[in-house]
Amino acid sequence: MPAPRHFPLLAWIAAAPGQALAAVLLLHAAVWTILPTLLYPNLPLDLIEALVYGREWQLGYDKLPPLPWWLVEIVYRLIGHDSAYYLLAQVAVVTALWLVWLTALPLVGPIGALVSVLIVDGLHYLNYTAAKFNHDVIQLPFWALAGFAFHRALRGGWIGHWLLLGVAIGMALWAKYFVVVLAAPLALFILFDREARKSLATVGPYVAAAAALITAAPHIVWLVQNDLLPFTYAEHRALPSRGLIDHVWHPLQFGIGQAIFLIPSLLIALPLFVLRRPGAVAKLGVDAFDRRIVDCLAFGPVVTVLAMSAISGRSTVAMWGYPLWLFLGFWMVLFARHVLDESRLARVLIIWPVVFGCLALAFIVNYAVLPNYDHRYRAVLFPGSDLGRELSQRYRAATGRPITYVIGSMWDGGNVAHYAPDHPRVLIDGKPERAPWIDLANLRTKGALVVWTAGDLNAVPPGLRTIAADAAVQPPFQLRYLRGDSSLNVGWAILHPRPSYAAESLKPPT
């Protein structure tokens, strides 16, 4: 790239693109840690859920793999402040973006690699939505690491890169089962690409497969021992086909949604494809094999999702798009083939902060302004801290004891567990099968709080009566949401302690 003459910022970026990347990632992490810290007075559902599950340190749970829940619990024990969870999310995001940079660097140079990152940073998945740390967010660095290692392993053949690929795939399974749509196209590429297939004559692919299996083995064993329990949740999320039309509509619906989400990234990338000048074709150190690898990384997973939906007819979930586009910016820089001259880079550097700022502004408006007007439910405005404090005080006043267990929904019980000073354990939905780590005899011996926020506030909900049918219902009360003018109606009851021998009555009939 010619040295920019007129803009000091461009000159600095041209001279030190690595430092520019560090500045971008630092800005990204700072903004998207500060905004939710300031505007989320209550933790979102995914983090409440993480705190309920993570403290139990299980190898598996009834919904999803355990890794993000373990990480949240570690952060809770080390730091204990809600802002740390938002920083954790940004650590995952910026690590993924840094790995995209490393992957692109030898092929498109430092400026091209920087632009690759700026393009993908336009995705709301990596900023606005990533504030809520969950399984979608934590899979990002492992997908990016797999892409980095995959390219390096096929181009260099170093056994360390194959090992790294296997570990990345294995860890991605601990993050989310969605890793199958990454692993499948990578495996097929090795099998069917004429150059990649040569690697099958080496130990590399087999080392990668072994590393992936060894890394994921403890959780795989747990899955087998528990009859693949979490896949029941997955079945519920992806509804089955209702007929032939769903085999067309569901993948089309997913594709349309992803195309809309990509608009900000496409705007950032637009300067790569305009201002075409004769003779301005970039001379990149890229051959056809490199391009095919990048094609696979950029589009293999999304094609796999569309194919699976088309074949099964099952519905798709928009949030599945989180990791699918990590290498799209890299692909665009390769595909454009034009020199990133001063004019193109200047336009990218104008559009990216505009997109970044618009996403931040939308976040501020949604959580600081609109709640006063639209009255729409937002979980992060739930009065969880007031609920936990109020119930703790009332329970202690009535019983003289702290809350040891809370029986309720994941949301109601989880908020009490996090915000009450007693930090009780949660019997999720009053169902022992959802929380097999809870000792029912101990629960009955120590007593429990029962809480609900819907239905008849003067009677224990039917779903909780298996465990708490004889709980003593207390007078309901009302709390204000943390922004806006909505109120929360709270029903609660006390399951008084019984002698340990009476705990047998709690066991569900066989």
Side-chain angles (χ1 to χ4, degrees):
M1 171 182 170
R5 297 184 299 272
H6 307 298
F7 302 102
L9 178 61
L10 288 178
W12 174 67
I13 292 173
Q19 294 179 23
L21 173 73
V24 166
L25 297 185
L26 182 61
L27 175 66
H28 180 111
V31 168
W32 292 107
T33 300
I34 292 170
L35 284 181
T37 298
L38 295 177
L39 299 179
Y40 283 0
N42 198 87
L43 289 179
L45 172 60
D46 289 332
L47 284 168
I48 290 293
E49 183 178 69
L51 289 162
V52 170
Y53 280 129
R55 67 190 293 184
E56 307 300 342
W57 295 106
Q58 303 293 302
L59 282 175
Y61 298 87
D62 63 338
K63 287 182 62 175
L64 291 161
L67 179 61
W69 296 331
W70 290 349
L71 293 176
V72 168
E73 180 65 15
I74 291 170
V75 168
Y76 168 73
R77 296 192 180 207
L78 291 177
I79 302 175
H81 192 280
D82 288 356
S83 61
Y85 311 131
Y86 308 129
L87 177 59
L88 177 63
Q90 297 316 310
V91 169
V93 171
V94 300
T95 299
L97 292 175
W98 174 68
L99 287 164
V100 170
W101 151 276
L102 287 182
T103 308
L105 190 60
L107 299 186
V108 297
I111 297 297
L114 175 63
V115 172
S116 300
V117 169
L118 295 179
I119 291 171
V120 77
D121 192 48
L123 287 167
H124 76 87
Y125 294 125
L126 304 186
N127 37 65
Y128 189 110
T129 314
K132 302 172 182 179
F133 181 77
N134 55 23
H135 292 76
D136 292 312
V137 176
I138 193 56
Q139 66 183 328
L140 293 172
F142 298 115
W143 278 55
L145 179 60
F148 165 81
F150 184 71
H151 176 261
R152 294 291 197 275
L154 287 177
R155 292 305 294 176
W158 182 48
I159 197 67
H161 286 135
W162 286 108
L163 179 63
L164 194 60
L165 173 61
V167 171
I169 295 292
M171 290 303 300
L173 181 72
W174 283 98
K176 193 172 182 179
Y177 304 124
F178 193 58
V179 66
V180 67
V181 306
L182 171 66
L186 298 189
L188 291 174
F189 185 84
I190 291 174
L191 287 174
F192 292 105
D193 184 89
R194 61 184 179 276
E195 293 294 328
R197 193 162 52 243
K198 296 176 183 177
S199 67
L200 294 174
T202 72
V203 299
Y206 311 104
V207 167
L213 286 173
I214 292 170
T215 302
H219 186 62
I220 293 174
V221 170
W222 180 92
L223 284 172
V224 173
Q225 291 175 341
N226 289 271
D227 301 320
L228 305 179
L229 179 62
F231 292 99
T232 302
Y233 171 75
E235 288 275 333
H236 174 73
R237 291 281 283 170
L239 298 177
S241 171
R242 298 164 298 178
L244 183 60
I245 188 64
D246 281 346
H247 292 264
V248 177
W249 170 240
H250 283 156
L252 181 62
Q253 182 184 42
F254 183 76
I256 293 172
Q258 296 304 305
I260 293 171
F261 295 154
L262 283 171
I263 289 174
S265 288
L266 296 177
L267 289 175
I268 297 170
L270 189 62
L272 302 181
F273 302 94
V274 297
L275 302 173
R276 293 177 178 269
R277 297 186 181 92
V281 177
K283 294 181 179 179
L284 302 174
V286 182
D287 60 18
F289 186 34
D290 284 316
R291 292 185 183 278
R292 294 198 302 274
I293 294 172
V294 177
D295 289 345
C296 178
L297 294 176
F299 300 108
V302 69
V303 169
T304 303
V305 172
L306 295 174
M308 291 173 65
S309 179
I311 293 169
S312 67
R314 286 186 172 273
S315 64
T316 55
V317 179
M319 291 299 103
W320 289 353
Y322 257 90
L324 296 180
W325 307 108
L326 283 173
F327 293 98
L328 181 65
F330 179 20
W331 181 87
M332 286 183 171
V333 172
L334 273 181
F335 180 79
R337 300 190 182 189
H338 292 278
V339 170
L340 272 166
D341 56 20
E342 180 179 340
S343 180
R344 286 191 175 86
L345 181 59
R347 283 166 171 77
V348 168
L349 294 175
I350 290 171
I351 298 172
W352 172 75
V354 170
V355 169
F356 188 91
C358 285
L359 287 166
L361 180 61
F363 192 90
I364 294 169
V365 170
N366 188 32
Y367 292 107
V369 180
L370 290 182
N372 298 312
Y373 302 100
D374 66 4
H375 311 293
R376 183 167 61 86
Y377 175 78
R378 293 169 175 83
V380 295
L381 303 184
F382 186 83
S385 56
D386 294 338
L387 178 68
R389 182 175 58 253
E390 186 71 22
L391 283 173
S392 179
Q393 292 173 354
R394 292 181 181 228
Y395 186 90
R396 191 180 289 267
T399 67
R401 298 182 307 274
I403 308 170
T404 303
Y405 294 97
V406 57
I407 302 171
S409 68
M410 175 66 78
W411 181 240
D412 295 337
N415 271 278
V416 173
H418 179 59
Y419 290 109
D422 313 321
H423 299 301
R425 299 171 78 190
V426 184
L427 183 60
I428 305 165
D429 295 336
K431 297 178 179 179
E433 64 271 22
R434 290 213 62 195
W437 45 84
I438 298 292
D439 183 338
L440 296 182
N442 186 263
L443 181 149
R444 200 45 152 149
T445 299
K446 294 185 176 179
L449 167 76
V450 187
V451 61
W452 63 98
T453 56
D456 185 355
L457 301 181
N458 295 298
V460 175
L464 305 180
R465 289 178 191 167
T466 302
I467 297 298
D470 57 342
V473 176
Q474 306 298 306
F477 59 93
Q478 193 175 79
L479 296 170
R480 297 277 294 182
Y481 271 76
L482 299 177
R483 290 196 191 102
D485 56 5
S486 300
S487 297
L488 175 72
N489 297 311
V490 182
W492 69 292
I494 299 172
L495 186 65
H496 288 286
R498 286 187 178 180
S500 58
Y501 63 80
E504 290 296 323
S505 63
L506 275 177
K507 293 184 179 179
T510 56

